[in-house]
Amino acid sequence: MTSGSEAAPAVPVRMRPEILALPAYRQGQAAPTGFKLSSNENPYDPLPGVLEAVDRATRQLHRYPNAAAPEITARLAEEWGVEPDEVIVAAGSVALLMQFTMAAAGHGDEVVFSWRSFEVYPWMTVLPGATAVPVPNTPDHRHDLVAMAAAITDRTRLVLVCSPNNPTSSAVTKAEFEAFMASVPADLLVILDEAYAEFVTDPEAVNGRALVRRYPNLVVLRTFSKAYGLAGLRIGYGIGRPEVLAPARTTIVPLSLTDHAQVAALASLDRGDELRERVANIAVRRDAVYEALLEQGWTGIPKPHGNFVWFPVGERTPEVLEVFRRHGIIARGYLPDGVRLTIGEEESVQNVLSAADEIARILR
């Protein structure tokens, strides 16, 4: 027996080795000074009416939230032209990704996704004990849907398609997605992750709104974190057949969706015209930055469709991040592939382009 002043020897508890081997999710680096362009956040303040709605909800902090989320569910059903039981709402679309993965895949099962894509995909696959099957992006940093379809086996339980793709900002076209859906088994769950859909301006890009009722095995995910600027409140939703959504409802973390998030989402939907104006401004800024990069001599940057731009700088990622930092820009690095840069405030653009010009000269 040890005395009270002696520390007991460290005895590690037994944990799953595949979990211990996983890197923890790493949030975009903060920017004490300069511009934080590392987390794909919306640079605008919340829409008018949102803060007032959240303040009213704060007066009920001593109560549990209404986990059924009836008001926002009904409103989203109306917005999408579906029934309320075809809508599922949770604490962010990333929560829904994890819920569907746990509902669909377990030990011995496989989850197929493009890579590089959303960094949560690999580790959320491992959590329930499933096996990740990453399929390399095309040389121009897009989903290779033909190769993804070929990677499907009788063990595949879930396929993830991210458009616009995070972090490369490339988009899947309608024609590509329809051909993909025609080639996969009808009983295989396909999730179209459209966290950045509101920023898309290309009419040829896939849009889940037009397809969700066409394919019984399809679930479309959206979020209020990006275009709506509610990243700090965590609310996202999915649209799909009731029988497909039902298993994911059972894997939700109880009471994780707050009333604050629900009322903020409702207030944001009430300001649709203002939202679309803001999103259009960001899209115009994004396109202007992309065109300026091309004029600087950049090649290989995929045409961006989200609110961010991808620099495929490979192993020189740390060097590129440092140049951006010296220009007051905090970007997001993905070793060994490249750097993702959010389109932020108008005031950040000159810093971004000055840094990018310096980087382009260094890399020549």
Side-chain angles (χ1 to χ4, degrees):
M1 179 178 294
T2 60
S3 67
S5 61
E6 295 175 336
V11 179
V13 297
R14 285 174 287 183
M15 298 288 185
R16 290 169 55 194
E18 63 269 33
I19 299 297
L20 295 175
L22 283 176
Y25 176 77
R26 185 171 55 86
Q27 189 174 3
Q29 186 178 352
T33 61
F35 298 97
K36 180 190 177 189
L37 305 182
S38 57
S39 295
N40 290 349
E41 294 160 332
N42 193 315
Y44 290 102
D45 291 336
L47 287 159
V50 170
L51 295 180
E52 292 81 358
V54 172
D55 180 64
R56 290 191 295 271
T58 300
R59 300 166 196 173
Q60 297 296 316
L61 281 177
H62 59 300
R63 304 293 186 188
Y64 284 116
N66 188 340
E71 293 183 358
I72 187 62
T73 297
R75 180 63 179 274
L76 289 169
E78 179 184 354
E79 294 270 336
W80 281 68
V82 298
E83 297 300 320
D85 61 357
E86 294 176 280
V87 179
I88 183 171
V89 187
S93 58
V94 67
L96 287 167
L97 283 166
M98 298 179 70
Q99 289 170 225
F100 278 105
T101 303
M102 288 189 289
H107 289 281
D109 298 328
E110 295 175 345
V111 177
V112 173
F113 51 85
S114 191
W115 193 254
R116 180 175 283 274
S117 191
F118 187 25
E119 63 189 296
V120 168
Y121 293 163
W123 62 256
M124 78 179 195
T125 300
V126 174
L127 292 182
T131 299
V133 181
V135 177
N137 291 338
T138 62
D140 58 349
H141 312 287
R142 304 178 67 249
H143 278 41
D144 189 339
L145 290 180
V146 173
M148 289 176 66
I152 294 170
T153 71
D154 58 1
R155 296 171 58 189
T156 307
R157 295 294 178 270
L158 172 62
V159 179
L160 301 162
V161 177
C162 186
S163 183
N165 185 45
N166 179 15
T168 66
S169 209
S170 55
V172 171
T173 69
K174 291 183 290 188
E176 288 171 334
F177 190 77
E178 289 174 1
F180 174 75
M181 291 300 293
S183 69
V184 306
D187 62 350
L188 175 62
L189 175 60
V190 177
I191 289 182
L192 178 58
D193 186 353
E194 292 190 309
Y196 301 94
E198 290 84 359
F199 299 102
V200 176
T201 56
D202 185 350
E204 297 304 313
V206 68
N207 188 326
R209 282 181 177 270
L211 300 174
V212 69
R213 277 194 159 175
R214 181 172 170 183
Y215 302 106
N217 58 325
L218 175 65
V219 172
V220 176
L221 297 187
R222 295 282 182 96
T223 181
F224 285 93
S225 294
K226 308 304 181 184
Y228 289 86
L230 299 182
L233 286 176
R234 313 306 306 131
I235 179 167
Y237 62 96
I239 308 293
R241 295 292 180 93
E243 62 272 19
V244 178
L245 302 187
R249 297 188 196 279
T250 68
T251 57
I252 192 170
V253 176
L255 305 174
S256 55
L257 176 63
T258 67
D259 285 339
H260 301 76
Q262 295 177 49
V263 298
L266 284 166
S268 297
L269 289 171
D270 288 338
R271 299 283 185 162
D273 289 342
E274 292 165 90
L275 172 79
R276 284 183 284 273
E277 181 180 355
R278 290 180 172 190
V279 169
N281 288 339
I282 293 172
V284 168
R285 193 175 304 153
R286 171 200 66 201
D287 293 345
V289 167
Y290 177 63
E291 292 299 324
L293 293 172
L294 296 182
E295 291 175 6
Q296 290 178 353
W298 281 91
T299 60
I301 293 179
K303 181 175 175 56
H305 296 271
N307 65 331
F308 51 98
V309 178
W310 175 246
F311 294 83
V313 293
E315 296 287 354
R316 302 189 75 171
T317 290
E319 183 180 356
V320 170
L321 289 173
E322 176 58 23
V323 175
F324 275 124
R325 188 196 64 77
R326 285 196 284 102
H327 285 262
I329 299 294
I330 302 300
R332 182 75 174 267
Y334 294 85
L335 276 170
D337 298 314
V339 170
R340 188 192 72 191
L341 184 87
T342 306
I343 301 300
E345 300 87 341
E346 176 66 34
E347 296 78 12
S348 71
V349 171
Q350 188 55 55
N351 297 55
V352 166
L353 294 180
S354 295
D357 187 50
E358 179 179 338
I359 294 165
R361 287 186 277 108
I362 291 172
L363 297 181
R364 287 193 184 108

